[in-house]
C-alpha cells in the first residue's frame, strides 16, 4: 500500500500543506525542530489513531488553532483507493473513510503504518503497555475476530471491577468471570500465534544486527500463571482483587520480553543495542504483515541517521529498497546511499513548518 497524497492542517507547527508522495522513498530534510517528524507522525495517525511521540500526545493542534486534521489518499496493491481522514474538533476525534464517519478501529484497519523513531527503544525497556500495543496492532490486522474479543473482554473487565469496588458477592462476579475467561483465553491464543509467527522474521534480522549476542528468545507472558486456566486464575485472585478494587490477572496485564544468550536481561543491553533490537522488531512486523496481508505496510523512519551508524543505515535502506515498500524518512540531510537521480526518491525540505520539494 502507499499514500499518494497526505494533507495536513493545523497539526503541530504545520498550518496547511498537501503533499504528493512517490511510491518509493519520501525523504524529509531540515534542521531539528523544523517539523519533519510531524509529517511522519501525521501518516502514523491514520494507522493508529494516536501519535508515536509519547511525551507530546496532548499538543497535536497547532498553537492558536481549535484542532487539527489529517487526510490521506491511500492506494492498495489491488488498485483500489480509499480516502482517509482524522480530525480533532472540540476535543473529539472524528474519523472518516471515503467521506463516511467511521470508528477509529475501521480507520486503522484500512491503513497500515509501522514506525521506527527515537522512542522505539521503549519496546525493550519501557512499560508493558507499549509492548502490548505493538503486539495487538499486528494481531488486529491479521485476526478478524480479535477486535470483537477484545471489546467483549474490556466490557466484562469494567463490570467485574465495578463489582469489586462495590463489594459485591461471588454470585455477582461469576458471570463476568465466565465472559472474561472465554474472551481472555482466545486473546491469549491469538497473541501466542502471532508471537510464534513473528519469530521466523525476527531471527535473521537479529542475527545481522545483534549476532554478537547469540541466540534470542521471544517470550510471551499471558497475564496470569501459565499452569492455570484464566477462570481458575480469576477465582484464585478474588481476595486480593477485592482488596485492591481491580482485576490483577488477565490479558490486560500481558507482556512479552526478548532475551539473548549473552544478554539474558534487558538491563544487559546498551542503548544502541536496544535501538537495533527495536528496529528489528519493527521490520519483522512489517515483513510479517506483508506475508499475511499480501502487501507491505508504509514505513516511517524518523531521524534514522542519528539513531543508526552508517553501516546499519545502509543495510536497512538496501533491504527496504528491495522490498518495494513506501517509506517516509526524516533526517537533517539526505542519506548518502541514495542516488539523487532515482525516480523512486523524492526529497522535501522542511523549514519552520513549511515543506518544499
Amino acid at each position: 500500500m502507499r499514500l499518494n497524497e497526505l494533507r495536513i492542517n493545523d497539526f503541530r507547527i504545520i498550518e496547511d500543506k498537501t503533499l504528493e508522495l512517490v511510491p518509493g522513498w519520501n525523504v524529509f530534510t531540515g534542521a531539528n525542530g523544523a517539523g519533519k517528524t510531524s509529517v511522519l507522525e501525521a501518516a502514523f495517525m491514520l494507522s493508529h489513531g494516536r501519535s508515536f511521540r509519547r511525551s507530546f500526545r496532548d499538543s497535536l493542534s497547532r498553537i492558536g488553532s481549535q484542532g487539527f486534521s489529517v487526510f490521506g489518499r491511500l492506494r492498495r496493491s489491488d488498485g483500489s483507493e480509499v480516502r482517509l481522514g482524522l480530525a480533532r474538533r472540540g476535543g473529539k476525534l472524528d474519523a472518516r473513510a471515503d467521506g463516511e464517519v467511521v470508528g477509529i478501529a475501521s480507520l486503522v484497519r484500512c491503513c497500515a503504518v509501522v514506525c521506527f523513531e527515537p522512542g522505539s527503544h521503549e519496546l525493550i525497556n519501557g512499560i508493558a503497555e507499549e509492548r502490548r500495543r505493538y503486539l495487538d496492532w499486528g494481531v488486529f490486522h491479521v485476526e478478524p475476530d480479535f477486535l470483537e474479543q477484545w471489546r467483549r473482554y474490556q466490557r466484562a473487565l469494567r463490570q467485574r471491577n465495578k463489582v469489586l469496588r462495590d463489594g459485591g458477592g461471588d454470585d455477582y462476579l461469576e458471570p463476568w468471570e465466565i465472559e472474561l475467561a472465554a474472551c481472555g483465553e482466545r486473546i491469549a491464543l491469538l497473541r501466542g500465534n502471532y508471537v510464534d509467527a513473528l519469530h521466523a522474521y525476527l531471527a535473521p534480522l537479529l542475527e545481522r544486527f545483534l549476532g554478537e549476542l547469540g541466540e534470542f528468545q521471544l517470550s510471551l507472558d499471558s497475564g496470569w500463571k501459565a499452569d492455570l486456566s484464566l477462570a481458575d486464575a480469576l477465582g484464585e485472585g478474588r481476595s486480593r482483587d477485592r482488596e485492591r478494587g481491580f482485576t490483577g490477572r488477565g490479558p490486560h496485564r500481558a507482556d512479552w520480553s526478548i532475551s539473548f544468550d549473552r544478554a539474558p536481561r534487558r538491563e544487559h543491553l546498551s542503548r544502541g543495542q536496544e535501538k537495533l533490537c527495536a528496529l528489528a522488531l519493527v521490520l519483522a512486523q512489517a515483513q510479517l504483515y506483508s506475508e499475511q496481508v499480501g502487501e507491505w505496510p508504509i514505513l516511517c523512519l524518523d531521524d534514522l541517521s542519528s539513531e543508526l551508524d552508517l553501516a546499519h543505515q545502509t543495510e536497512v535502506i538496501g533491504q527496504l529498497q528491495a522490498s518495494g515498500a513506501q517509506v517516509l524518512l526524516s533526517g537533517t540531510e539526505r542519506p548518502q546511499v541514495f542516488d539523487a537521480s532515482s525516480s523512486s526518491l523524492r526529497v522535501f525540505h522542511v523549514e519552520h513548518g513549511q515543506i518544499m520539494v
Side-chain angles (χ1 to χ4, degrees):
M1 69 178 62
R2 65 177 184 265
L3 277 170
N4 288 337
E5 178 184 328
L6 181 62
R7 188 186 310 158
I8 307 170
N9 180 259
D10 287 336
F11 187 78
R12 300 295 192 192
I13 65 171
I14 301 174
E15 182 174 3
D16 188 25
K17 186 64 180 181
T18 298
L19 302 173
E20 298 292 333
L21 304 176
V22 296
W25 288 74
N26 299 270
V27 180
F28 298 88
T29 65
N32 293 331
K36 308 181 299 297
T37 296
S38 299
V39 178
L40 277 60
E41 189 180 10
F44 186 89
M45 290 283 294
L46 293 175
S47 175
H48 296 257
R50 61 177 178 85
S51 168
F52 58 74
R53 298 170 73 186
R54 298 152 186 81
S55 301
F56 302 95
R57 288 174 179 166
D58 295 329
S59 55
L60 296 171
S61 301
R62 188 173 61 87
I63 295 174
S65 69
Q66 300 302 307
F68 70 85
S69 64
V70 177
F71 170 86
R73 189 159 49 85
L74 185 76
R75 188 173 184 83
R76 306 298 297 261
S77 60
D78 61 4
S80 63
E81 188 173 278
V82 60
R83 294 172 293 116
L84 303 174
L86 184 68
R88 171 169 284 169
R89 295 288 183 266
K92 183 180 178 181
L93 277 177
D94 176 43
R96 295 177 183 263
D98 287 331
E100 299 291 329
V101 176
V102 298
I104 294 295
S106 297
L107 179 79
V108 172
R109 195 173 293 282
C110 291
C111 183
V113 178
V114 299
C115 181
F116 175 71
E117 43 87 24
S120 291
H121 64 88
E122 292 189 17
L123 273 176
I124 311 303
N125 68 10
I127 60 176
E129 181 182 4
E130 295 295 338
R131 287 183 290 277
R132 285 196 297 271
R133 281 177 170 168
Y134 166 88
L135 186 62
D136 288 347
W137 184 89
V139 179
F140 168 82
H141 277 285
V142 299
E143 296 290 353
D145 70 327
F146 176 77
L147 179 61
E148 177 61 23
Q149 295 292 329
W150 184 249
R151 284 173 169 169
R152 287 175 54 191
Y153 180 86
Q154 287 294 320
R155 176 175 177 269
L157 181 64
R158 288 193 296 271
Q159 294 299 323
R160 184 178 189 268
N161 287 343
K162 184 176 186 304
V163 174
L164 292 170
R165 291 192 298 270
D166 293 345
D170 289 355
D171 54 333
Y172 289 96
L173 289 173
E174 286 171 358
W176 299 118
E177 289 178 358
I178 292 172
E179 178 77 347
L180 281 172
C183 298
E185 295 277 6
R186 177 63 178 166
I187 290 168
L189 176 64
L190 296 178
R191 284 172 169 171
N193 291 341
Y194 186 81
V195 167
D196 290 344
L198 186 67
H199 192 282
Y201 295 87
L202 191 55
L205 289 165
L206 288 175
E207 174 63 28
R208 289 201 296 272
F209 293 166
L210 294 168
E212 72 278 6
L213 297 181
E215 295 293 323
F216 79 97
Q217 296 81 41
L218 188 61
S219 303
L220 176 63
D221 176 354
S222 62
W224 69 92
K225 293 179 182 179
D227 59 346
L228 294 178
S229 68
L230 180 52
D232 289 341
L234 290 168
E236 185 184 81
R238 280 179 186 172
S239 296
R240 188 176 183 189
D241 289 349
R242 288 186 189 281
E243 293 174 0
R244 298 185 298 182
F246 63 88
T247 303
R249 305 178 187 187
H252 63 291
R253 306 286 289 181
D255 199 359
W256 57 265
S257 62
I258 190 166
S259 61
F260 298 84
D261 289 346
R262 299 186 184 90
R265 296 173 59 88
R266 67 185 64 175
E267 294 84 356
H268 296 150
L269 297 174
S270 68
R271 179 55 61 90
Q273 289 171 330
E274 288 177 353
K275 291 179 180 180
L276 288 172
C277 192
L279 175 61
L281 285 160
V282 170
L283 295 178
Q285 187 168 69
Q287 290 177 351
L288 178 54
Y289 179 94
S290 71
E291 179 68 25
Q292 294 180 321
V293 178
E295 60 182 340
W296 274 78
I298 298 160
L299 288 103
C300 291
L301 304 175
D302 185 31
D303 205 11
L304 190 68
S305 60
S306 69
E307 296 300 301
L308 300 180
D309 58 45
L310 183 58
H312 284 109
Q313 289 180 56
T314 303
E315 183 170 359
V316 170
I317 290 172
Q319 178 180 338
L320 293 179
Q321 282 180 319
S323 75
Q326 185 184 48
V327 181
L328 279 63
L329 181 148
S330 72
T332 54
E333 58 185 18
R334 178 174 63 86
Q336 301 175 6
V337 298
F338 284 116
D339 178 357
S341 64
S342 173
S343 61
S344 64
L345 172 69
R346 176 168 293 174
V347 179
F348 300 84
H349 181 68
V350 186
E351 187 173 344
H352 303 302
Q354 301 297 314
I355 307 172
M356 298 151 283
V357 179

